[in-house]
Amino acid sequence: GAGVSQSPSNKVTEKGKDVELRCDPISGHTALYWYRQSLGQGLEFLIYFQGNSAPDKSGLPSDRFSAERTGGSVSTLTIQRTQQEDSAVYLCASSLMGIDNQPQHFGDGTRLSIL
Amino acid sequence: DQQVKQNSPSLSVQEGRISILNCDYTNSMFDYFLWYKKYPAEGPTFLISISSIKDKNEDGRFTVFLNKSAKHLSLHIVPSQPGDSAVYFCAASLRSGAGSYQLTFGKGTKLSVIP
């Protein structure tokens, strides 16, 4: 498809397990962002990629969270030793990079539930 | 500290009338503002944006107004249609020191357009 694709759409796992979330951005978009939306909260920035590098990781809430991007395209967000407070919708967005701001386009998210 | 505020959690408007959604921000360094529309179980969909050097941007039925001195922006939808019923998020960005344009979101306003 032409949009941002995320998988899985839903993930239920037990506390303490590791999870991996995947994002396939729009073709040609060099900038990639991960956000999360917890219940009753607005979207919260996690990490930004420009190409394969992540110059801004300032939003990652703990060292249990990590992300990588390979080939300047697909990105994975990994949460180790999941906790119940990690339950949220995790959203990925991509955009063109240029001199001016470009709108970010979002996928439909992964709804993560930690039991 | 919420840097982007949408003070109305919900709004009901009659079909054909104007919908006005409001947003206030506190960080004067924000230089790009966006409105997103979100349906349940889907990611936010980009609607319209405005740069801080402008005070108005129009796209079809959607117009965004920016008042920098008041740190206020609004989205006007006219005429409103039942299909416009969704949650609308205001977002703002600035270029971080790490080069990202991470978005800061409000908590959203749920618009209901009554046929």
Side-chain angles (χ1 to χ4, degrees):
Chain A
V4 176
S5 178
Q6 290 188 247
S7 62
S9 53
N10 285 283
K11 177 73 176 178
V12 180
T13 192
E14 292 179 348
K15 175 182 170 182
K17 300 284 189 183
D18 297 352
V19 295
E20 194 172 275
L21 313 179
R22 176 188 168 105
C23 172
D24 200 343
I26 294 172
S27 178
H29 281 193
T30 56
L32 186 147
Y33 299 79
W34 283 97
Y35 295 85
R36 75 174 176 182
Q37 184 172 21
S38 303
L39 190 63
Q41 301 297 316
L43 279 79
E44 170 191 19
F45 167 77
L46 296 177
I47 187 170
Y48 156 71
F49 284 91
Q50 174 56 30
N52 289 339
S53 65
D56 191 349
K57 304 178 183 179
S58 61
L60 295 179
S62 77
D63 59 7
R64 296 186 295 105
F65 287 72
S66 63
E68 65 175 18
R69 189 180 185 193
T70 55
S73 182
V74 172
S75 174
T76 53
L77 176 70
T78 301
I79 309 172
Q80 295 178 309
R81 306 180 303 282
T82 51
Q83 302 295 314
Q84 287 186 330
E85 62 262 28
D86 300 334
S87 296
V89 177
Y90 288 81
L91 288 153
C92 175
S94 69
S95 71
L96 292 167
M97 280 298 293
I99 298 173
D100 298 322
N101 273 306
Q102 297 288 333
Q104 295 176 27
H105 298 274
F106 285 80
D108 286 339
T110 294
R111 182 174 296 276
L112 177 64
S113 300
I114 309 300
L115 302 178
Chain B
D1 178 32
Q2 233 185 312
Q3 295 190 65
V4 178
K5 297 179 184 178
Q6 294 177 255
N7 291 320
S8 298
S10 64
L11 175 68
S12 289
V13 172
Q14 205 73 30
E15 180 179 3
R17 298 289 186 100
I18 185 170
S19 294
I20 300 176
L21 297 108
N22 293 302
C23 178
D24 297 292
Y25 62 95
T26 57
N27 189 341
S28 58
M29 298 300 291
F30 287 137
D31 60 4
Y32 186 57
F33 303 89
L34 309 92
W35 284 94
Y36 286 84
K37 174 181 179 180
K38 188 179 183 303
Y39 294 115
E42 294 184 9
T45 300
F46 170 71
L47 271 179
I48 192 168
S49 63
I50 187 166
S51 165
S52 60
I53 62 173
K54 297 185 177 180
D55 55 19
K56 178 182 175 181
N57 188 26
E58 190 172 351
D59 183 2
R61 297 185 298 113
F62 302 92
T63 303
V64 56
F65 295 92
L66 176 63
N67 183 334
K68 282 180 63 179
S69 60
K71 296 192 181 69
H72 177 84
L73 66 155
S74 60
L75 174 68
H76 292 211
I77 307 172
V78 56
S80 301
Q81 299 172 354
D84 296 330
S85 298
V87 178
Y88 288 78
F89 288 94
C90 169
S93 82
L94 55 83
R95 186 182 174 92
S96 76
S100 75
Y101 290 95
Q102 59 173 274
L103 296 176
T104 301
F105 284 84
K107 292 192 175 181
T109 296
K110 183 176 183 179
L111 174 66
S112 300
V113 180
I114 304 161

